[in-house]
mmCIF file of all heavy atoms in Angstrom:
data_model
loop_
_atom_site.group_PDB
_atom_site.id
_atom_site.type_symbol
_atom_site.label_atom_id
_atom_site.label_comp_id
_atom_site.label_asym_id
_atom_site.label_seq_id
_atom_site.Cartn_x
_atom_site.Cartn_y
_atom_site.Cartn_z
ATOM 1 N N MET A 182 34.104 1.209 0.236
ATOM 2 C CA MET A 182 32.748 0.855 -0.205
ATOM 3 C C MET A 182 32.811 -0.193 -1.317
ATOM 4 O O MET A 182 33.774 -0.246 -2.065
ATOM 5 C CB MET A 182 32.027 2.104 -0.723
ATOM 6 C CG MET A 182 31.447 2.961 0.404
ATOM 7 S SD MET A 182 30.257 4.144 -0.211
ATOM 8 C CE MET A 182 31.359 5.448 -0.731
ATOM 9 N N GLU A 183 31.771 -0.984 -1.415
ATOM 10 C CA GLU A 183 31.730 -2.024 -2.430
ATOM 11 C C GLU A 183 31.077 -1.524 -3.709
ATOM 12 O O GLU A 183 30.095 -0.773 -3.666
ATOM 13 C CB GLU A 183 30.928 -3.226 -1.922
ATOM 14 C CG GLU A 183 31.615 -3.969 -0.778
ATOM 15 C CD GLU A 183 30.796 -5.156 -0.318
ATOM 16 O OE1 GLU A 183 29.621 -5.283 -0.731
ATOM 17 O OE2 GLU A 183 31.325 -5.968 0.460
ATOM 18 N N CYS A 184 31.624 -1.967 -4.814
ATOM 19 C CA CYS A 184 31.057 -1.629 -6.118
ATOM 20 C C CYS A 184 29.614 -2.136 -6.208
ATOM 21 O O CYS A 184 29.337 -3.293 -5.864
ATOM 22 C CB CYS A 184 31.914 -2.273 -7.203
ATOM 23 S SG CYS A 184 31.280 -2.100 -8.867
ATOM 24 N N THR A 185 28.712 -1.260 -6.653
ATOM 25 C CA THR A 185 27.308 -1.643 -6.775
ATOM 26 C C THR A 185 27.124 -2.773 -7.785
ATOM 27 O O THR A 185 26.236 -3.606 -7.635
ATOM 28 C CB THR A 185 26.481 -0.417 -7.203
ATOM 29 O OG1 THR A 185 26.627 0.584 -6.200
ATOM 30 C CG2 THR A 185 25.003 -0.758 -7.366
ATOM 31 N N TYR A 186 28.004 -2.828 -8.759
ATOM 32 C CA TYR A 186 27.868 -3.863 -9.784
ATOM 33 C C TYR A 186 28.554 -5.174 -9.402
ATOM 34 O O TYR A 186 27.924 -6.216 -9.384
ATOM 35 C CB TYR A 186 28.396 -3.351 -11.131
ATOM 36 C CG TYR A 186 28.389 -4.427 -12.180
ATOM 37 C CD1 TYR A 186 27.186 -4.951 -12.639
ATOM 38 C CD2 TYR A 186 29.582 -4.943 -12.680
ATOM 39 C CE1 TYR A 186 27.171 -5.976 -13.569
ATOM 40 C CE2 TYR A 186 29.575 -5.958 -13.608
ATOM 41 C CZ TYR A 186 28.366 -6.481 -14.054
ATOM 42 O OH TYR A 186 28.357 -7.487 -14.966
ATOM 43 N N CYS A 187 29.853 -5.111 -9.072
ATOM 44 C CA CYS A 187 30.607 -6.361 -8.908
ATOM 45 C C CYS A 187 30.951 -6.690 -7.456
ATOM 46 O O CYS A 187 31.389 -7.791 -7.169
ATOM 47 C CB CYS A 187 31.865 -6.337 -9.765
ATOM 48 S SG CYS A 187 33.157 -5.251 -9.142
ATOM 49 N N GLY A 188 30.775 -5.732 -6.523
ATOM 50 C CA GLY A 188 30.986 -6.019 -5.114
ATOM 51 C C GLY A 188 32.416 -5.881 -4.617
ATOM 52 O O GLY A 188 32.680 -6.097 -3.442
ATOM 53 N N LEU A 189 33.354 -5.549 -5.495
ATOM 54 C CA LEU A 189 34.734 -5.341 -5.074
ATOM 55 C C LEU A 189 34.888 -3.959 -4.454
ATOM 56 O O LEU A 189 34.100 -3.059 -4.736
ATOM 57 C CB LEU A 189 35.676 -5.478 -6.280
ATOM 58 C CG LEU A 189 35.773 -6.873 -6.913
ATOM 59 C CD1 LEU A 189 36.632 -6.814 -8.167
ATOM 60 C CD2 LEU A 189 36.343 -7.872 -5.923
ATOM 61 N N PRO A 190 35.917 -3.769 -3.611
ATOM 62 C CA PRO A 190 36.147 -2.441 -3.033
ATOM 63 C C PRO A 190 36.524 -1.432 -4.114
ATOM 64 O O PRO A 190 37.510 -1.628 -4.824
ATOM 65 C CB PRO A 190 37.323 -2.667 -2.063
ATOM 66 C CG PRO A 190 37.419 -4.151 -1.878
ATOM 67 C CD PRO A 190 36.875 -4.763 -3.130
ATOM 68 N N VAL A 191 35.735 -0.377 -4.253
ATOM 69 C CA VAL A 191 35.967 0.583 -5.339
ATOM 70 C C VAL A 191 37.281 1.347 -5.153
ATOM 71 O O VAL A 191 37.870 1.808 -6.116
ATOM 72 C CB VAL A 191 34.809 1.590 -5.489
ATOM 73 C CG1 VAL A 191 33.539 0.876 -5.910
ATOM 74 C CG2 VAL A 191 34.590 2.390 -4.227
ATOM 75 N N GLU A 192 37.752 1.466 -3.903
ATOM 76 C CA GLU A 192 38.978 2.218 -3.646
ATOM 77 C C GLU A 192 40.192 1.586 -4.319
ATOM 78 O O GLU A 192 41.216 2.243 -4.503
ATOM 79 C CB GLU A 192 39.225 2.340 -2.138
ATOM 80 C CG GLU A 192 38.235 3.233 -1.417
ATOM 81 C CD GLU A 192 36.917 2.528 -1.080
ATOM 82 O OE1 GLU A 192 36.790 1.320 -1.367
ATOM 83 O OE2 GLU A 192 36.019 3.186 -0.538
ATOM 84 N N ASP A 193 40.106 0.289 -4.643
ATOM 85 C CA ASP A 193 41.218 -0.389 -5.298
ATOM 86 C C ASP A 193 41.317 -0.053 -6.777
ATOM 87 O O ASP A 193 42.262 -0.456 -7.442
ATOM 88 C CB ASP A 193 41.066 -1.917 -5.163
ATOM 89 C CG ASP A 193 41.269 -2.374 -3.725
ATOM 90 O OD1 ASP A 193 41.686 -1.546 -2.890
ATOM 91 O OD2 ASP A 193 41.010 -3.555 -3.441
ATOM 92 N N HIS A 194 40.327 0.674 -7.298
ATOM 93 C CA HIS A 194 40.291 0.929 -8.730
ATOM 94 C C HIS A 194 40.264 2.436 -8.969
ATOM 95 O O HIS A 194 40.976 3.174 -8.291
ATOM 96 C CB HIS A 194 39.088 0.215 -9.349
ATOM 97 C CG HIS A 194 39.094 -1.260 -9.066
ATOM 98 N ND1 HIS A 194 39.733 -2.172 -9.863
ATOM 99 C CD2 HIS A 194 38.567 -1.966 -8.035
ATOM 100 C CE1 HIS A 194 39.608 -3.382 -9.338
ATOM 101 N NE2 HIS A 194 38.890 -3.287 -8.234
ATOM 102 N N ASP A 195 39.437 2.877 -9.885
ATOM 103 C CA ASP A 195 39.342 4.297 -10.228
ATOM 104 C C ASP A 195 37.883 4.697 -10.014
ATOM 105 O O ASP A 195 37.110 4.796 -10.946
ATOM 106 C CB ASP A 195 39.760 4.476 -11.695
ATOM 107 C CG ASP A 195 39.827 5.941 -12.085
ATOM 108 O OD1 ASP A 195 39.891 6.801 -11.186
ATOM 109 O OD2 ASP A 195 39.808 6.229 -13.295
ATOM 110 N N PRO A 196 37.484 4.863 -8.736
ATOM 111 C CA PRO A 196 36.063 4.864 -8.380
ATOM 112 C C PRO A 196 35.241 6.027 -8.926
ATOM 113 O O PRO A 196 35.731 7.149 -9.088
ATOM 114 C CB PRO A 196 36.080 4.901 -6.854
ATOM 115 C CG PRO A 196 37.410 5.406 -6.469
ATOM 116 C CD PRO A 196 38.351 5.009 -7.557
ATOM 117 N N LEU A 197 33.988 5.711 -9.191
ATOM 118 C CA LEU A 197 32.985 6.680 -9.611
ATOM 119 C C LEU A 197 31.826 6.593 -8.625
ATOM 120 O O LEU A 197 31.438 5.507 -8.219
ATOM 121 C CB LEU A 197 32.456 6.331 -11.010
ATOM 122 C CG LEU A 197 33.463 6.412 -12.152
ATOM 123 C CD1 LEU A 197 32.911 5.670 -13.360
ATOM 124 C CD2 LEU A 197 33.728 7.855 -12.502
ATOM 125 N N TYR A 198 31.282 7.736 -8.262
ATOM 126 C CA TYR A 198 30.174 7.754 -7.310
ATOM 127 C C TYR A 198 28.948 8.382 -7.963
ATOM 128 O O TYR A 198 29.048 9.361 -8.695
ATOM 129 C CB TYR A 198 30.561 8.534 -6.051
ATOM 130 C CG TYR A 198 31.730 7.912 -5.336
ATOM 131 C CD1 TYR A 198 33.023 8.333 -5.605
ATOM 132 C CD2 TYR A 198 31.537 6.879 -4.422
ATOM 133 C CE1 TYR A 198 34.113 7.743 -4.969
ATOM 134 C CE2 TYR A 198 32.612 6.282 -3.786
ATOM 135 C CZ TYR A 198 33.896 6.718 -4.054
ATOM 136 O OH TYR A 198 34.960 6.130 -3.440
ATOM 137 N N LEU A 199 27.797 7.819 -7.644
ATOM 138 C CA LEU A 199 26.549 8.269 -8.225
ATOM 139 C C LEU A 199 25.645 8.759 -7.098
ATOM 140 O O LEU A 199 25.411 8.053 -6.122
ATOM 141 C CB LEU A 199 25.886 7.075 -8.924
ATOM 142 C CG LEU A 199 24.811 7.338 -9.961
ATOM 143 C CD1 LEU A 199 25.434 7.983 -11.191
ATOM 144 C CD2 LEU A 199 24.172 6.018 -10.364
ATOM 145 N N SER A 200 25.178 9.998 -7.195
ATOM 146 C CA SER A 200 24.244 10.505 -6.198
ATOM 147 C C SER A 200 23.158 11.312 -6.898
ATOM 148 O O SER A 200 23.325 11.775 -8.019
ATOM 149 C CB SER A 200 24.957 11.353 -5.151
ATOM 150 O OG SER A 200 25.498 12.506 -5.746
ATOM 151 N N THR A 201 22.023 11.473 -6.208
ATOM 152 C CA THR A 201 20.890 12.156 -6.813
ATOM 153 C C THR A 201 20.972 13.667 -6.651
ATOM 154 O O THR A 201 20.242 14.398 -7.295
ATOM 155 C CB THR A 201 19.573 11.642 -6.199
ATOM 156 O OG1 THR A 201 19.662 11.750 -4.782
ATOM 157 C CG2 THR A 201 19.329 10.191 -6.578
ATOM 158 N N ALA A 202 21.867 14.152 -5.767
ATOM 159 C CA ALA A 202 22.067 15.579 -5.576
ATOM 160 C C ALA A 202 23.535 15.819 -5.237
ATOM 161 O O ALA A 202 24.180 14.946 -4.664
ATOM 162 C CB ALA A 202 21.172 16.105 -4.463
ATOM 163 N N PRO A 203 24.064 16.984 -5.587
ATOM 164 C CA PRO A 203 25.498 17.223 -5.362
ATOM 165 C C PRO A 203 25.942 17.048 -3.920
ATOM 166 O O PRO A 203 27.059 16.608 -3.670
ATOM 167 C CB PRO A 203 25.681 18.680 -5.810
ATOM 168 C CG PRO A 203 24.580 18.924 -6.770
ATOM 169 C CD PRO A 203 23.428 18.080 -6.275
ATOM 170 N N GLU A 204 25.102 17.376 -2.963
ATOM 171 C CA GLU A 204 25.510 17.324 -1.558
ATOM 172 C C GLU A 204 25.132 16.029 -0.863
ATOM 173 O O GLU A 204 25.495 15.825 0.297
ATOM 174 C CB GLU A 204 24.871 18.499 -0.787
ATOM 175 C CG GLU A 204 25.186 19.862 -1.359
ATOM 176 C CD GLU A 204 26.690 20.155 -1.358
ATOM 177 O OE1 GLU A 204 27.356 19.772 -0.389
ATOM 178 O OE2 GLU A 204 27.178 20.740 -2.339
ATOM 179 N N SER A 205 24.414 15.157 -1.527
ATOM 180 C CA SER A 205 23.919 13.959 -0.855
ATOM 181 C C SER A 205 24.929 12.820 -0.898
ATOM 182 O O SER A 205 25.860 12.822 -1.702
ATOM 183 C CB SER A 205 22.601 13.507 -1.479
ATOM 184 O OG SER A 205 22.811 13.070 -2.800
ATOM 185 N N GLU A 206 24.724 11.837 -0.040
ATOM 186 C CA GLU A 206 25.561 10.652 -0.018
ATOM 187 C C GLU A 206 25.381 9.880 -1.320
ATOM 188 O O GLU A 206 24.284 9.857 -1.878
ATOM 189 C CB GLU A 206 25.137 9.751 1.145
ATOM 190 C CG GLU A 206 25.539 10.285 2.498
ATOM 191 C CD GLU A 206 27.045 10.186 2.712
ATOM 192 O OE1 GLU A 206 27.575 9.063 2.626
ATOM 193 O OE2 GLU A 206 27.679 11.219 2.958
ATOM 194 N N PRO A 207 26.440 9.216 -1.785
ATOM 195 C CA PRO A 207 26.291 8.407 -2.996
ATOM 196 C C PRO A 207 25.264 7.290 -2.814
ATOM 197 O O PRO A 207 25.234 6.647 -1.764
ATOM 198 C CB PRO A 207 27.688 7.821 -3.214
ATOM 199 C CG PRO A 207 28.611 8.653 -2.410
ATOM 200 C CD PRO A 207 27.805 9.209 -1.276
ATOM 201 N N THR A 208 24.439 7.084 -3.819
ATOM 202 C CA THR A 208 23.478 5.989 -3.778
ATOM 203 C C THR A 208 24.054 4.742 -4.434
ATOM 204 O O THR A 208 23.534 3.650 -4.256
ATOM 205 C CB THR A 208 22.184 6.371 -4.507
ATOM 206 O OG1 THR A 208 22.503 6.817 -5.816
ATOM 207 C CG2 THR A 208 21.463 7.488 -3.774
ATOM 208 N N ALA A 209 25.120 4.922 -5.203
ATOM 209 C CA ALA A 209 25.791 3.798 -5.842
ATOM 210 C C ALA A 209 27.225 4.199 -6.138
ATOM 211 O O ALA A 209 27.524 5.387 -6.270
ATOM 212 C CB ALA A 209 25.084 3.412 -7.141
ATOM 213 N N GLN A 210 28.101 3.213 -6.201
ATOM 214 C CA GLN A 210 29.483 3.480 -6.546
ATOM 215 C C GLN A 210 30.025 2.340 -7.387
ATOM 216 O O GLN A 210 29.549 1.211 -7.272
ATOM 217 C CB GLN A 210 30.339 3.710 -5.307
ATOM 218 C CG GLN A 210 30.345 2.565 -4.313
ATOM 219 C CD GLN A 210 29.113 2.578 -3.419
ATOM 220 O OE1 GLN A 210 28.569 3.630 -3.121
ATOM 221 N NE2 GLN A 210 28.670 1.408 -3.003
ATOM 222 N N PHE A 211 30.977 2.666 -8.234
ATOM 223 C CA PHE A 211 31.495 1.689 -9.194
ATOM 224 C C PHE A 211 33.016 1.775 -9.271
ATOM 225 O O PHE A 211 33.592 2.847 -9.072
ATOM 226 C CB PHE A 211 30.891 1.956 -10.575
ATOM 227 C CG PHE A 211 29.394 1.888 -10.577
ATOM 228 C CD1 PHE A 211 28.629 3.024 -10.346
ATOM 229 C CD2 PHE A 211 28.733 0.682 -10.766
ATOM 230 C CE1 PHE A 211 27.237 2.965 -10.303
ATOM 231 C CE2 PHE A 211 27.343 0.616 -10.719
ATOM 232 C CZ PHE A 211 26.593 1.750 -10.502
ATOM 233 N N CYS A 212 33.670 0.631 -9.588
ATOM 234 C CA CYS A 212 35.128 0.583 -9.729
ATOM 235 C C CYS A 212 35.618 1.555 -10.789
ATOM 236 O O CYS A 212 36.643 2.207 -10.629
ATOM 237 C CB CYS A 212 35.576 -0.813 -10.159
ATOM 238 S SG CYS A 212 35.045 -2.137 -9.090
ATOM 239 N N ASN A 213 34.914 1.610 -11.887
ATOM 240 C CA ASN A 213 35.341 2.383 -13.044
ATOM 241 C C ASN A 213 34.150 2.468 -14.022
ATOM 242 O O ASN A 213 33.066 1.967 -13.732
ATOM 243 C CB ASN A 213 36.558 1.718 -13.717
ATOM 244 C CG ASN A 213 36.336 0.240 -13.959
ATOM 245 O OD1 ASN A 213 35.249 -0.169 -14.349
ATOM 246 N ND2 ASN A 213 37.348 -0.568 -13.726
ATOM 247 N N TYR A 214 34.400 3.085 -15.165
ATOM 248 C CA TYR A 214 33.328 3.226 -16.149
ATOM 249 C C TYR A 214 32.854 1.884 -16.687
ATOM 250 O O TYR A 214 31.700 1.752 -17.103
ATOM 251 C CB TYR A 214 33.795 4.105 -17.317
ATOM 252 C CG TYR A 214 33.792 5.574 -16.984
ATOM 253 C CD1 TYR A 214 34.987 6.275 -16.817
ATOM 254 C CD2 TYR A 214 32.594 6.265 -16.829
ATOM 255 C CE1 TYR A 214 34.991 7.630 -16.509
ATOM 256 C CE2 TYR A 214 32.583 7.607 -16.522
ATOM 257 C CZ TYR A 214 33.782 8.294 -16.353
ATOM 258 O OH TYR A 214 33.785 9.619 -16.046
ATOM 259 N N GLY A 215 33.726 0.882 -16.676
ATOM 260 C CA GLY A 215 33.336 -0.443 -17.146
ATOM 261 C C GLY A 215 32.203 -1.024 -16.319
ATOM 262 O O GLY A 215 31.211 -1.519 -16.858
ATOM 263 N N CYS A 216 32.364 -0.971 -14.991
ATOM 264 C CA CYS A 216 31.309 -1.485 -14.106
ATOM 265 C C CYS A 216 30.048 -0.626 -14.218
ATOM 266 O O CYS A 216 28.936 -1.147 -14.240
ATOM 267 C CB CYS A 216 31.801 -1.510 -12.664
ATOM 268 S SG CYS A 216 32.864 -2.926 -12.291
ATOM 269 N N LEU A 217 30.220 0.681 -14.306
ATOM 270 C CA LEU A 217 29.062 1.571 -14.439
ATOM 271 C C LEU A 217 28.300 1.281 -15.727
ATOM 272 O O LEU A 217 27.076 1.126 -15.715
ATOM 273 C CB LEU A 217 29.535 3.030 -14.425
ATOM 274 C CG LEU A 217 28.467 4.088 -14.720
ATOM 275 C CD1 LEU A 217 27.333 4.037 -13.715
ATOM 276 C CD2 LEU A 217 29.100 5.470 -14.748
ATOM 277 N N ALA A 218 29.027 1.167 -16.822
ATOM 278 C CA ALA A 218 28.391 0.941 -18.121
ATOM 279 C C ALA A 218 27.668 -0.398 -18.167
ATOM 280 O O ALA A 218 26.552 -0.501 -18.668
ATOM 281 C CB ALA A 218 29.442 1.010 -19.231
ATOM 282 N N THR A 219 28.304 -1.434 -17.609
ATOM 283 C CA THR A 219 27.685 -2.760 -17.610
ATOM 284 C C THR A 219 26.449 -2.781 -16.726
ATOM 285 O O THR A 219 25.424 -3.374 -17.064
ATOM 286 C CB THR A 219 28.692 -3.824 -17.145
ATOM 287 O OG1 THR A 219 29.878 -3.689 -17.911
ATOM 288 C CG2 THR A 219 28.121 -5.214 -17.331
ATOM 289 N N TYR A 220 26.537 -2.111 -15.576
ATOM 290 C CA TYR A 220 25.400 -2.039 -14.663
ATOM 291 C C TYR A 220 24.208 -1.357 -15.326
ATOM 292 O O TYR A 220 23.075 -1.850 -15.290
ATOM 293 C CB TYR A 220 25.807 -1.281 -13.400
ATOM 294 C CG TYR A 220 24.693 -1.119 -12.392
ATOM 295 C CD1 TYR A 220 24.305 -2.185 -11.583
ATOM 296 C CD2 TYR A 220 24.056 0.107 -12.232
ATOM 297 C CE1 TYR A 220 23.291 -2.030 -10.662
ATOM 298 C CE2 TYR A 220 23.041 0.266 -11.301
ATOM 299 C CZ TYR A 220 22.660 -0.807 -10.518
ATOM 300 O OH TYR A 220 21.653 -0.655 -9.603
ATOM 301 N N ILE A 221 24.468 -0.221 -15.969
ATOM 302 C CA ILE A 221 23.403 0.512 -16.665
ATOM 303 C C ILE A 221 22.778 -0.364 -17.748
ATOM 304 O O ILE A 221 21.555 -0.433 -17.887
ATOM 305 C CB ILE A 221 23.963 1.805 -17.280
ATOM 306 C CG1 ILE A 221 24.270 2.813 -16.165
ATOM 307 C CG2 ILE A 221 22.983 2.402 -18.293
ATOM 308 C CD1 ILE A 221 25.014 4.043 -16.645
ATOM 309 N N ASP A 222 23.644 -1.045 -18.486
ATOM 310 C CA ASP A 222 23.181 -1.901 -19.570
ATOM 311 C C ASP A 222 22.298 -3.030 -19.051
ATOM 312 O O ASP A 222 21.200 -3.267 -19.549
ATOM 313 C CB ASP A 222 24.411 -2.480 -20.272
ATOM 314 C CG ASP A 222 24.166 -2.723 -21.740
ATOM 315 O OD1 ASP A 222 23.510 -1.875 -22.368
ATOM 316 O OD2 ASP A 222 24.621 -3.766 -22.239
ATOM 317 N N GLU A 223 22.762 -3.721 -18.016
ATOM 318 C CA GLU A 223 22.023 -4.874 -17.500
ATOM 319 C C GLU A 223 20.720 -4.475 -16.812
ATOM 320 O O GLU A 223 19.736 -5.191 -16.869
ATOM 321 C CB GLU A 223 22.915 -5.664 -16.532
ATOM 322 C CG GLU A 223 24.093 -6.314 -17.251
ATOM 323 C CD GLU A 223 24.778 -7.367 -16.399
ATOM 324 O OE1 GLU A 223 24.445 -7.475 -15.206
ATOM 325 O OE2 GLU A 223 25.643 -8.069 -16.940
ATOM 326 N N GLU A 224 20.724 -3.320 -16.165
ATOM 327 C CA GLU A 224 19.515 -2.854 -15.485
ATOM 328 C C GLU A 224 18.589 -2.083 -16.430
ATOM 329 O O GLU A 224 17.491 -1.685 -16.049
ATOM 330 C CB GLU A 224 19.892 -1.947 -14.310
ATOM 331 C CG GLU A 224 20.753 -2.617 -13.253
ATOM 332 C CD GLU A 224 20.001 -3.703 -12.484
ATOM 333 O OE1 GLU A 224 18.843 -3.469 -12.116
ATOM 334 O OE2 GLU A 224 20.587 -4.784 -12.273
ATOM 335 N N GLU A 225 19.084 -1.832 -17.645
ATOM 336 C CA GLU A 225 18.337 -1.066 -18.649
ATOM 337 C C GLU A 225 17.906 0.289 -18.101
ATOM 338 O O GLU A 225 16.792 0.754 -18.316
ATOM 339 C CB GLU A 225 17.135 -1.866 -19.155
ATOM 340 C CG GLU A 225 17.567 -3.176 -19.815
ATOM 341 C CD GLU A 225 16.406 -3.941 -20.443
ATOM 342 O OE1 GLU A 225 15.253 -3.699 -20.042
ATOM 343 O OE2 GLU A 225 16.676 -4.746 -21.346
ATOM 344 N N LEU A 226 18.830 0.924 -17.366
ATOM 345 C CA LEU A 226 18.513 2.196 -16.723
ATOM 346 C C LEU A 226 18.315 3.343 -17.715
ATOM 347 O O LEU A 226 17.692 4.344 -17.379
ATOM 348 C CB LEU A 226 19.641 2.580 -15.740
ATOM 349 C CG LEU A 226 19.843 1.625 -14.559
ATOM 350 C CD1 LEU A 226 20.999 2.095 -13.700
ATOM 351 C CD2 LEU A 226 18.579 1.554 -13.720
ATOM 352 N N THR A 227 18.862 3.204 -18.894
ATOM 353 C CA THR A 227 18.760 4.305 -19.854
ATOM 354 C C THR A 227 17.589 4.153 -20.825
ATOM 355 O O THR A 227 17.317 5.042 -21.603
ATOM 356 C CB THR A 227 20.061 4.437 -20.672
ATOM 357 O OG1 THR A 227 20.320 3.207 -21.325
ATOM 358 C CG2 THR A 227 21.240 4.815 -19.791
ATOM 359 N N THR A 228 16.892 3.032 -20.743
ATOM 360 C CA THR A 228 15.797 2.791 -21.674
ATOM 361 C C THR A 228 14.687 3.832 -21.498
ATOM 362 O O THR A 228 14.083 3.922 -20.437
ATOM 363 C CB THR A 228 15.214 1.378 -21.478
ATOM 364 O OG1 THR A 228 16.254 0.421 -21.659
ATOM 365 C CG2 THR A 228 14.093 1.111 -22.452
ATOM 366 N N GLY A 229 14.485 4.643 -22.520
ATOM 367 C CA GLY A 229 13.404 5.604 -22.499
ATOM 368 C C GLY A 229 13.612 6.791 -21.574
ATOM 369 O O GLY A 229 12.685 7.537 -21.302
ATOM 370 N N THR A 230 14.857 7.005 -21.090
ATOM 371 C CA THR A 230 15.062 8.065 -20.126
ATOM 372 C C THR A 230 15.892 9.226 -20.649
ATOM 373 O O THR A 230 16.097 10.190 -19.936
ATOM 374 C CB THR A 230 15.755 7.528 -18.855
ATOM 375 O OG1 THR A 230 16.982 6.930 -19.239
ATOM 376 C CG2 THR A 230 14.874 6.536 -18.140
ATOM 377 N N ALA A 231 16.386 9.144 -21.899
ATOM 378 C CA ALA A 231 17.205 10.234 -22.397
ATOM 379 C C ALA A 231 16.383 11.519 -22.490
ATOM 380 O O ALA A 231 15.232 11.502 -22.948
ATOM 381 C CB ALA A 231 17.783 9.871 -23.764
ATOM 382 N N CYS A 232 16.956 12.644 -22.089
ATOM 383 C CA CYS A 232 16.169 13.882 -21.984
ATOM 384 C C CYS A 232 15.776 14.443 -23.341
ATOM 385 O O CYS A 232 14.809 15.185 -23.448
ATOM 386 C CB CYS A 232 16.918 14.918 -21.162
ATOM 387 S SG CYS A 232 18.524 15.365 -21.824
ATOM 388 N N SER A 233 16.554 14.123 -24.362
ATOM 389 C CA SER A 233 16.245 14.725 -25.665
ATOM 390 C C SER A 233 15.842 13.691 -26.699
ATOM 391 O O SER A 233 15.801 13.953 -27.877
ATOM 392 C CB SER A 233 17.467 15.513 -26.166
ATOM 393 O OG SER A 233 18.560 14.644 -26.336
ATOM 394 N N TRP A 234 15.538 12.479 -26.219
ATOM 395 C CA TRP A 234 15.180 11.404 -27.129
ATOM 396 C C TRP A 234 13.722 11.517 -27.557
ATOM 397 O O TRP A 234 12.850 11.829 -26.724
ATOM 398 C CB TRP A 234 15.404 10.064 -26.444
ATOM 399 C CG TRP A 234 15.149 8.886 -27.331
ATOM 400 C CD1 TRP A 234 15.985 8.349 -28.265
ATOM 401 C CD2 TRP A 234 13.956 8.090 -27.374
ATOM 402 N NE1 TRP A 234 15.400 7.269 -28.870
ATOM 403 C CE2 TRP A 234 14.164 7.092 -28.356
ATOM 404 C CE3 TRP A 234 12.739 8.120 -26.683
ATOM 405 C CZ2 TRP A 234 13.194 6.142 -28.654
ATOM 406 C CZ3 TRP A 234 11.778 7.170 -26.986
ATOM 407 C CH2 TRP A 234 11.996 6.193 -27.974
ATOM 408 N N SER A 235 13.448 11.312 -28.826
ATOM 409 C CA SER A 235 12.059 11.280 -29.267
ATOM 410 C C SER A 235 11.897 10.223 -30.348
ATOM 411 O O SER A 235 12.760 10.056 -31.183
ATOM 412 C CB SER A 235 11.649 12.649 -29.807
ATOM 413 O OG SER A 235 12.410 12.962 -30.952
ATOM 414 N N PRO A 236 10.800 9.497 -30.291
ATOM 415 C CA PRO A 236 10.572 8.450 -31.297
ATOM 416 C C PRO A 236 10.214 9.050 -32.642
ATOM 417 O O PRO A 236 9.285 9.839 -32.747
ATOM 418 C CB PRO A 236 9.403 7.658 -30.705
ATOM 419 C CG PRO A 236 8.694 8.615 -29.813
ATOM 420 C CD PRO A 236 9.713 9.628 -29.348
ATOM 421 N N GLU A 237 10.977 8.721 -33.653
ATOM 422 C CA GLU A 237 10.683 9.259 -34.972
ATOM 423 C C GLU A 237 10.068 8.186 -35.863
ATOM 424 O O GLU A 237 10.639 7.149 -36.041
ATOM 425 C CB GLU A 237 11.967 9.777 -35.607
ATOM 426 C CG GLU A 237 12.404 11.097 -35.009
ATOM 427 C CD GLU A 237 11.595 12.278 -35.559
ATOM 428 O OE1 GLU A 237 11.944 12.806 -36.615
ATOM 429 O OE2 GLU A 237 10.606 12.666 -34.909
HETATM 430 ZN ZN1 LIG B 571 33.077 -3.067 -9.983
#
């Protein structure tokens, strides 16, 4: 499978898979934490989504 962020084959690295449920097919996959972290950062996926975050 291709890395969701960089498009390289994830099997060549230390792959991570992202799915919405434990039994479901992965919706995204990444070479390693570097690609995952950069993808999250660039897509701003964590903005306002932390479960325990509150504006003080
Ligand atoms: Zn990658």
